[in-house]
Amino acid sequence: MELKLGGKIALLLVILGLGLGALYKFGLISGTGLPGSGGAGAASPIKKETLDKIRKGEETPTTAKNYNFVAKQSITEVKGTSNYQFKDKTVVFPINIWGGWAPIIAANNGFGPNKDSLFFKNYGFLVDLKLIDDPVAARDAFASGQSHVLWGTLDMIALFAPGLSRDSRTTPIVFQQIDWSNGGDGIVVRAHINEAKDLRGKTIVLAQNSPSHYYILSVLTDAGISPSEVNFKFTATAFEAAKAFVDNAGIDACVSWAPDIYNIVDEKYGGKKGGVQGARLLTTTRDASQLIADVWAVRADFARDHKDIVKGLAAGIFKGYDLVKQDGPKIAALMAKGFGVSVDEAKSMMMDAHLTNYLENKKFFLDKDNPANFARTWAAASYVYKAYGAIGTPTRAEEIADTTVLGELDGQFPHHKDEYIPAFNKVNISRMKLESQPILTKSVMISFPPNQWALDRKYDQNIDNVLEESAKLSGKFAAARIVIEGNVDTSRKIEFQREGPRVFKEMSLAVQELSEKRAESVKQAIVNKFKFNPNKLAVIGNGWDNPASLTDHTKNRRVEIKVYPPEAE
């Protein structure tokens, strides 16, 4: 669960108060750190006076003053599994310092088990919200039976599931989505990187085995780049990655957090004075707003034995969602007390996540046509981690997701609406392309009958797979603008040139129209199946002007999907 600007600043202040010297993606670094961190190269906490200057725009240093590179490390093995303990009807529910937990904090009326919570009043059990920021420690407490619940981003659950599922008792079962992460993490690139495909063969620095790691792996995969085709350098923390990027001109890109991702970019790209010359943000989770989903999972044996309690947890959290909407300041005060931050800082943290209500959970778990649903998000995370070598055989989505509780709660939250639908207005696509660089380009192959633009599944049986891949890309980058570019076979171009300027001009116009109609066919198929706002997807026909090959003309009969940041509008 990633922390964005407000939450990360709050955490920095927490560290100052506690006297700790390192911070990681999921919270505070403890003895062993996060998977793969090894505890090496911990960042020095930022001074409060420096933080104040950053907030005022008077100073733009990286948060970490020093950095150390660390070796690639695998996820540690689960230490040991055991039966769960369940005392006094108290569910032990670990969480980390993250604004997305506001609904359960609201429903529980704080952190400790108490009889003023909705869980006790409505469902007869208690909840103990324990702060365990280290995800490996949370995983091992879950496996050993000390806790009943495991928090995590869905990609982290995918990373942990193969190890946990070796014991059927500790298979993590996901019942509910808490939120979508929405901004604050980003990929910063130097001037010579125009879009994601330019990262092939380049050096990228980041903190490994974290949602930031998943972020960059996902972007590389969508750009058609294998993890083996880039040079990864790892630091112990994301803040150190930013410092390493600033200090090493040979590093082409870094994945880090706010405020550093904004401080280190060039001033002409919206950064602060003193940013790296030519550096800019390639992408942030503002545009990739349905890439990282926060969820909670229950041990399989506890879910089997106490399905009524699991149902009460989910229902109570949905009611807590309503409490957050009704009285955010009160919930911020509860959060501030438990996290050890100020109320204002808690309010900022709450703004860092889009909380998902009942209807949005139904869309995530049950809508098969949702391009960013559970199954597709799980498959994407499993694919990139397997390709990277972090896991072997992935755990199947159907072994992890349980939708029966959502079904039993149907009708109890009729006032919940889908509040996560970005608005898109019509845009001048030519101007947008001139004034901005795409985040990434994904080439997909669709074969059309000669001189035809309608999708013909008898002619090309791979059409549905192409539409699926295109829709998943569009779904992950939910807030981004998607441009579909049509291209054509160039094999007869020279023939028409030989027939003279008039014929060539006439055929060029016809080919351009054909390529645009082919792109429009792809757009309409995606919109009809996946219910996208039509204005999110724009089309353009390149005609003969964008060949992928001068010799293999079949490669030119393709559609390219380009992702542009929201700012491109």
Side-chain angles (χ1 to χ4, degrees):
M1 295 175 184
E2 67 206 76
L3 302 177
K4 299 173 202 78
L5 181 56
K8 288 165 186 170
I9 288 175
L11 272 181
L12 290 169
L13 296 178
V14 173
I15 292 173
L16 287 169
L18 295 176
L20 298 176
L23 178 68
Y24 201 79
K25 177 69 175 175
F26 291 93
L28 310 179
I29 289 290
S30 57
T32 58
L34 281 183
S37 70
S44 300
I46 192 167
K47 296 180 179 179
K48 188 177 185 304
E49 56 266 29
T50 302
L51 182 60
D52 290 338
K53 289 182 179 180
I54 292 174
R55 284 170 164 168
K56 296 175 183 178
E58 297 172 357
E59 189 172 340
T60 58
T62 55
T63 300
K65 301 304 180 185
N66 300 291
Y67 66 90
N68 286 304
F69 292 120
V70 297
K72 176 182 176 180
Q73 296 184 13
S74 302
I75 297 296
T76 58
E77 292 291 329
V78 177
K79 287 185 176 179
T81 58
S82 181
N83 292 325
Y84 65 83
Q85 305 166 30
F86 189 42
K87 298 178 181 179
D88 303 322
K89 293 198 74 174
T90 300
V91 177
V92 179
F93 195 129
I95 62 174
N96 66 328
I97 299 177
W98 166 237
W101 294 115
I104 193 170
I105 294 169
N108 201 46
N109 193 37
F111 283 69
N114 68 89
K115 294 185 178 181
D116 287 326
S117 74
L118 294 183
F119 300 114
F120 183 79
K121 290 179 178 179
N122 295 348
Y123 309 107
F125 63 89
L126 299 169
V127 173
D128 187 5
L129 298 177
K130 291 185 177 295
L131 281 180
I132 304 181
D133 287 288
D134 181 341
V136 170
R139 180 203 64 181
D140 290 343
F142 180 83
S144 66
Q146 298 173 56
S147 66
H148 311 103
V149 176
L150 177 63
W151 62 262
T153 55
L154 191 58
D155 56 280
M156 290 305 295
I157 301 293
L159 194 58
F160 286 155
L164 288 169
S165 297
R166 290 176 187 145
D167 187 324
S168 61
R169 296 173 297 179
T170 59
T171 298
I173 309 298
V174 176
F175 289 90
Q176 188 176 34
Q177 181 190 16
I178 293 294
D179 62 64
W180 284 109
S181 180
N182 195 6
D185 286 75
I187 301 171
V188 180
V189 296
R190 296 192 188 274
H192 59 278
I193 305 296
N194 291 317
E195 59 174 293
K197 67 180 181 181
D198 299 328
L199 291 170
R200 180 178 278 108
K202 301 301 190 297
T203 298
I204 306 171
V205 64
L206 67 149
Q208 62 187 317
N209 298 327
S210 71
S212 291
H213 202 170
Y214 169 60
Y215 189 3
I216 186 63
L217 289 173
S218 180
V219 168
L220 291 173
T221 299
D222 285 327
I225 301 173
S226 167
S228 63
E229 294 181 285
V230 300
N231 175 31
F232 284 123
K233 282 186 173 292
F234 300 113
T235 55
T237 71
F239 286 139
E240 289 184 69
K243 175 63 174 172
F245 176 79
V246 170
D247 287 0
N248 294 269
I251 294 178
D252 303 283
C254 79
V255 191
S256 190
W257 306 337
D260 287 23
I261 56 174
Y262 301 106
N263 293 337
I264 67 177
V265 300
D266 195 315
E267 188 176 8
K268 70 179 181 180
Y269 293 121
K272 301 291 180 66
K273 187 175 182 180
V276 176
Q277 185 175 3
R280 66 180 184 88
L281 279 163
L282 176 68
T283 174
T284 74
T285 47
R286 181 188 169 195
D287 44 71
S289 57
Q290 288 188 336
L291 179 66
I292 299 176
D294 293 305
V295 300
W296 53 272
V298 177
R299 287 175 54 115
D301 52 0
F302 187 86
R304 178 197 63 217
D305 297 342
H306 301 285
K307 195 64 171 287
D308 57 331
I309 289 179
V310 174
K311 180 179 177 181
L313 280 170
I317 290 171
F318 286 134
K319 291 178 179 179
Y321 170 93
D322 290 334
L323 293 176
V324 174
K325 295 294 184 181
Q326 293 163 13
D327 195 351
K330 176 183 177 182
I331 309 311
L334 291 174
M335 182 181 291
K337 183 178 180 181
F339 287 162
V341 300
S342 74
V343 173
D344 285 342
E345 289 158 352
K347 289 178 181 178
S348 295
M349 293 173 69
M350 289 168 63
M351 295 174 64
D352 290 340
H354 173 82
L355 307 179
T356 48
N357 59 32
Y358 177 77
L359 186 61
E360 291 168 337
N361 265 261
K362 282 188 68 175
K363 182 179 178 181
F364 183 62
F365 284 97
L366 300 174
D367 185 353
K368 64 181 179 58
D369 291 332
N370 175 9
N373 63 17
F374 180 97
R376 291 184 172 96
T377 304
W378 182 269
S382 299
Y383 177 83
V384 299
Y385 277 131
K386 187 177 189 317
Y388 180 64
I391 60 175
T393 302
T395 308
R396 293 181 296 124
E398 53 266 35
E399 297 176 31
I400 301 298
D402 188 324
T403 61
T404 57
V405 165
L406 282 178
E408 292 172 7
L409 294 177
D410 194 27
Q412 294 190 26
F413 302 94
H415 55 291
H416 286 186
K417 309 299 180 184
D418 188 352
E419 300 176 358
Y420 206 47
I421 304 176
F424 292 95
N425 299 316
K426 288 186 177 180
V427 67
N428 185 321
I429 183 65
S430 297
R431 185 176 69 246
M432 188 184 82
K433 287 169 63 65
L434 282 172
E435 294 180 349
S436 61
Q437 292 284 352
I439 296 169
L440 62 86
T441 299
K442 186 181 184 74
S443 292
V444 294
M445 296 296 297
I446 291 181
S447 296
F448 293 87
N451 304 319
Q452 300 296 312
W453 58 81
L455 298 179
D456 186 341
R457 288 168 175 79
K458 291 182 180 179
Y459 193 84
D460 185 348
Q461 298 180 1
N462 197 44
I463 285 174
D464 288 327
N465 291 332
V466 171
L467 295 177
E468 169 77 12
E469 289 303 309
S470 303
K472 285 194 295 186
L473 179 66
S474 303
K476 285 188 288 188
F477 287 88
R481 176 75 66 177
I482 305 298
V483 177
I484 302 173
E485 296 189 3
N487 302 275
V488 296
D489 186 328
T490 58
S491 59
R492 299 189 64 191
K493 181 178 179 181
I494 295 177
E495 175 186 336
F496 290 125
Q497 284 177 321
R498 289 171 178 167
E499 294 188 26
R502 184 185 63 79
V503 172
F504 182 70
K505 181 178 180 180
E506 180 180 333
M507 297 310 300
S508 295
L509 291 173
V511 164
Q512 193 280 330
E513 181 182 9
L514 175 62
S515 63
E516 184 171 334
K517 286 184 175 180
R518 286 176 171 176
E520 182 67 31
S521 293
V522 174
K523 170 187 172 177
Q524 289 304 320
I526 294 173
V527 168
N528 292 341
K529 179 174 176 56
F530 297 99
K531 309 301 186 292
F532 281 117
N533 179 337
N535 289 333
K536 173 182 171 65
L537 283 71
V539 300
I540 193 168
N542 290 325
W544 285 319
D545 292 342
N546 190 31
S549 173
L550 297 177
T551 54
D552 185 354
H553 297 294
T554 61
K555 292 182 179 180
N556 300 324
R557 193 172 57 237
R558 72 194 190 283
V559 173
E560 287 187 342
I561 313 295
K562 293 188 176 181
V563 181
Y564 285 85
E567 292 81 358
E569 301 182 30

